[in-house]
Amino acid sequence: MNRRLFPTVLGLVAAAFVAAVGTHPGVAAPKPAATAAPAPAPSPTASPEPLDKAIPRLEAKLKTDPNDKQSLTELSADYLQINRPDLAIKLTQKLLAGGTKTAQVYYFDGLAQGQLGHQKEALADLEQAANLEPTNPGVLGTLTQTYLQSNRPQDAERVAKRAVTFNKDDKNAYMAYGQVLAAEGKYDEARQQLETGAKLDPKDPRPILLEAQTYISQNAIALAAGLYDRAIAIDPTNVEALFGKARLAAQQHNIKDAIATYETIFKLQVDPNDKAAVIDQEAIVYANEKMAGEADAAYKRAITEYPKVLSAHTAYGEYLLNLKDMAGAEREFVAGAGPNRDQVDALARLGQLYAQQSQYQKAVDQFKRVAELAPQDPRSFLLLGATYAANKQFANAAGAFKQSYSLQHTPDALLGLGQADLQTHNYTECAQVYDALDKGAPDISRQNPQVLFGLGQCYQGAKQPDKARAAYQRVLAMVKPGSQAANEIKALIAAIDRQQKKPAATKKPTTTSKT
């Protein structure tokens, strides 16, 4: 079977590898308050009981009575609050299967599905919740955001309008509607809605912060800066507003004001992780201005002042990696992973570093650990699969890609699985995978003829020459006439044609019977 074009398919898997790793920011800033999260949807009555006490109490209660609906519901909400959608969904699914199909349960199940990457299921749940409580601002706000994430802006606008219509005194409804309009590029209309939300609660800076984002989208930096100042005047301790001001100052190369604002943020932080993260943001400002001495000093300051904050090492490693100091980057990523090798960001960056250096077995070891630590994250297995493939461990790669696809149905996972199946001669599944990719993500096929080439190879291996020929014909129409690729595809088609031609029947010599 012709393999000369196959490296281009490997190239697509490499692209999937880069997509899985993503553009790592180098440092996670302290988390600001959510800008426009809708009011909580129908939920249990808020309890002053801390989660570390409430969760064990509810778990113990369910051991006694596994079908206690109220406890199942409350515990699912608590699990969502501690970012354990995998645990929450077991409870919400049990409630739904048992007939407890309330707006509250659908809402919690939708949140869990969404956090697990099951966008289709999340949307179905939230639509059910909205049908049961068609005016609830929390349900409608979350449904609005989910429609936006699903690239359905018209549905998002329809639901957001409904929320405003039935909740004229709810600032969150106006914020959600403003976000939809901004996403559609209707900035003036968006700002009108956001200003309405701001008037409903003059002490809440969130609508103003969202309005600032609309000006940033239009590159109107001065107007955005003015809104950040307005938000800070309302709440001088609002971290998001201060971050916005600091970043705009840095973009305008106003280093003095940027650093001064970050120092203000630094003083507001209590958690050592957040304090170190602010210092690292200052280091990024210096690094972007090519102030290498100041940048290096800032990164080292975070490490020295907060030695237990492992992410400070990871941030410094990112900086050194950008300077092509591979040994230094490796040293810092190893330190950032921690003595128990349990820091996912550092391990992922270390794995990527090894992969870039073609040290694939070392990369595999890092991503195996990442997958152990983040078993519900499809990217973990996508990274592992891509690294196995790069190390020519295609059977292991197939298993990792399947696991990634089971967690989130992404084209990247299918692409990797198809490539691994082709290499392991699993032609039947290979053809199914590439065919599903071609039909489910046609844009990828149109932009990457390598996908169709892979499909042809799989069909050929599966002894389906007609389908292989059809796939190659599609590839031929996409490549430059007269190019090497075109000639190779023509040769493949010609070979199939020759194999399908039946040899002419050999006639036996006639014998004349003697009479």
Side-chain angles (χ1 to χ4, degrees):
M1 187 179 298
N2 188 302
R3 298 289 188 192
R4 294 182 65 184
L5 293 182
F6 194 70
T8 58
V9 180
L10 284 172
L12 284 180
V13 177
F17 175 87
V18 173
V21 175
T23 53
H24 197 279
V27 56
K31 294 179 182 178
T35 52
S43 59
T45 304
S47 170
E49 186 180 19
L51 290 175
D52 60 352
K53 294 185 181 298
I55 290 175
R57 176 181 61 79
L58 291 168
E59 288 175 337
K61 195 172 181 180
L62 285 173
K63 285 183 180 179
T64 304
D65 184 2
N67 297 314
D68 183 344
K69 296 179 182 179
Q70 183 66 22
S71 296
L72 286 168
T73 305
E74 290 183 16
L75 186 55
S76 67
D78 289 346
Y79 281 149
L80 288 170
Q81 289 189 62
I82 63 170
N83 196 32
R84 290 301 304 269
D86 55 315
L87 297 179
I89 201 167
K90 293 177 182 177
L91 306 184
T92 54
Q93 286 289 300
K94 181 176 181 177
L95 284 164
L96 291 171
T100 307
K101 299 183 177 182
T102 64
Q104 185 183 65
V105 174
Y106 275 120
Y107 179 76
F108 291 150
D109 194 68
L111 289 179
Q113 297 279 15
Q115 290 179 31
L116 292 171
H118 306 157
Q119 199 73 6
K120 182 179 178 181
E121 292 82 357
L123 191 56
D125 278 340
L126 293 169
E127 287 175 334
Q128 287 283 8
N131 289 336
L132 291 168
E133 291 200 13
T135 65
N136 185 287
V139 171
L140 297 179
T142 306
L143 179 57
T144 296
Q145 295 299 323
T146 307
Y147 275 136
L148 281 178
Q149 293 166 6
S150 302
N151 196 28
R152 293 172 60 177
Q154 292 180 337
D155 287 323
E157 184 173 348
R158 170 179 55 80
V159 173
K161 278 183 179 179
R162 190 204 309 175
V164 169
T165 300
F166 288 101
N167 301 277
K168 294 188 179 298
D169 295 327
D170 189 323
K171 61 184 178 183
N172 293 295
Y174 290 98
M175 283 191 283
Y177 191 19
Q179 284 182 292
V180 172
L181 294 170
E184 294 179 307
K186 302 174 183 178
Y187 297 113
D188 290 336
E189 295 176 52
R191 287 190 276 268
Q192 290 175 4
Q193 300 300 321
L194 295 170
E195 282 294 335
T196 300
K199 289 176 183 177
L200 287 170
D201 187 357
K203 294 183 179 181
D204 187 350
R206 292 183 301 156
I208 299 167
L209 293 172
L210 287 173
E211 191 174 348
Q213 288 296 320
T214 67
Y215 282 119
I216 290 175
S217 297
Q218 293 183 293
N219 203 31
I221 303 302
L223 293 172
L227 285 167
Y228 282 127
D229 287 335
R230 179 180 160 192
I232 292 169
I234 294 171
D235 179 7
T237 65
N238 185 283
V239 171
E240 185 174 353
L242 290 166
F243 262 114
K245 180 178 180 178
R247 285 168 177 157
L248 287 184
Q251 287 177 22
Q252 295 175 310
H253 307 287
N254 185 346
I255 308 306
K256 180 180 177 181
D257 284 354
I259 298 300
T261 305
Y262 277 125
E263 281 298 310
T264 299
I265 299 170
F266 175 79
K267 293 174 184 177
L268 293 170
Q269 305 307 312
V270 177
D271 188 291
N273 292 281
D274 290 339
K275 283 185 171 291
V278 174
I279 297 173
D280 288 332
Q281 288 292 328
E282 293 180 9
I284 291 173
V285 172
Y286 288 130
N288 289 338
E289 294 296 324
K290 310 299 182 186
M291 300 169 68
E294 290 84 351
D296 197 77
Y299 281 119
K300 288 179 178 177
R301 173 192 165 196
I303 293 170
T304 301
E305 293 187 10
Y306 303 100
K308 294 183 179 180
V309 177
L310 298 177
S311 60
H313 287 284
T314 307
Y316 189 31
E318 285 287 341
Y319 173 68
L320 295 175
L321 186 62
N322 288 332
L323 295 180
K324 310 300 182 185
D325 181 357
M326 301 303 181
E330 180 182 7
R331 179 191 68 238
E332 295 303 321
F333 289 149
V334 169
N340 298 322
R341 297 183 67 243
D342 57 1
Q343 300 301 303
V344 171
D345 285 351
L347 289 167
R349 302 312 280 163
L350 185 60
Q352 186 187 32
L353 174 63
Y354 287 141
Q356 289 172 344
Q357 297 175 326
S358 299
Q359 298 184 59
Y360 295 121
Q361 189 53 55
K362 283 188 175 182
V364 165
D365 292 340
Q366 309 315 311
F367 292 127
K368 282 177 70 175
R369 181 61 175 153
V370 169
E372 290 174 2
L373 295 168
Q376 297 300 320
D377 189 340
R379 294 172 300 172
S380 301
F381 293 96
L382 185 62
L383 288 166
L384 181 58
T387 315
Y388 273 135
N391 204 34
K392 302 187 185 304
Q393 296 174 263
F394 292 105
N396 290 335
F401 285 127
K402 283 181 181 179
Q403 183 64 21
S404 178
Y405 188 75
S406 71
L407 292 168
Q408 186 176 12
H409 293 177
T410 64
D412 288 334
L414 274 184
L415 182 62
L417 178 57
Q419 182 256 335
D421 282 341
L422 185 55
Q423 282 292 320
T424 57
H425 302 167
N426 187 357
Y427 296 122
T428 300
E429 182 177 89
C430 173
Q432 292 172 346
V433 167
Y434 272 119
D435 189 53
L437 185 64
D438 180 38
K439 293 176 180 176
D443 288 343
I444 293 180
S445 296
R446 283 193 289 267
Q447 296 168 10
N448 300 283
Q450 301 95 325
V451 172
L452 294 174
F453 175 76
L455 180 59
Q457 295 275 278
C458 295
Y459 277 136
Q460 227 177 326
K463 309 299 183 185
Q464 300 184 59
D466 290 338
K467 290 184 177 181
R469 191 182 194 283
Y472 289 144
Q473 287 284 11
R474 290 174 62 191
V475 177
L476 189 60
M478 299 169 71
V479 299
K480 184 179 179 180
S483 65
Q484 180 181 354
N487 292 334
E488 290 181 9
I489 294 298
K490 286 182 178 179
L492 287 170
I493 294 172
I496 291 173
D497 290 342
R498 285 195 300 272
Q499 291 172 0
Q500 287 187 303
K501 285 182 179 178
K502 294 181 179 180
T506 303
K507 293 184 178 180
K508 294 181 179 181
T510 57
T511 57
T512 305
S513 57
K514 294 182 180 180
T515 57

